[in-house]
Amino acid sequence: MRLLLDTHIFMWASGFPGVTPAPIKAALTDPGNMLYVSAATAWEIAIKVGQGRLAFPVADFFAMVETIGADLLDM
């Protein structure tokens, strides 16, 4: 199955795996699933960080996408 991760789920998967609900964690780790993250997610995170509404290591975004085994989708 193809799964497009929204910003919230991407952040859980990449930075807060301990708070990720079990059904979501199971879907993310199922080898039969292909994970995708939109470039819009990077944009959304960067905007919120710039507004001071979010603390997130923006410079590590691409490494985090790779670490969770996802492919990045262009806008």
Side-chain angles (χ1 to χ4, degrees):
M1 179 184 316
R2 296 179 193 166
L3 302 175
L4 175 60
L5 309 184
D6 71 356
T7 302
H8 193 96
I9 300 301
F10 168 73
M11 290 176 56
W12 273 353
S14 62
F16 305 97
V19 299
T20 306
I24 293 173
K25 192 180 293 186
L28 294 174
T29 57
D30 184 333
N33 291 338
M34 296 178 290
L35 306 178
Y36 297 94
V37 176
S38 171
T41 297
W43 187 28
E44 181 179 0
I45 290 171
I47 288 170
K48 289 182 180 182
V49 168
Q51 294 173 335
R53 295 175 51 203
L54 179 66
F56 190 87
V58 177
D60 297 336
F61 176 81
F62 296 107
M64 290 176 166
V65 170
E66 188 175 313
T67 298
I68 66 169
D71 290 322
L72 186 64
L73 297 177
D74 294 334
M75 291 187 58

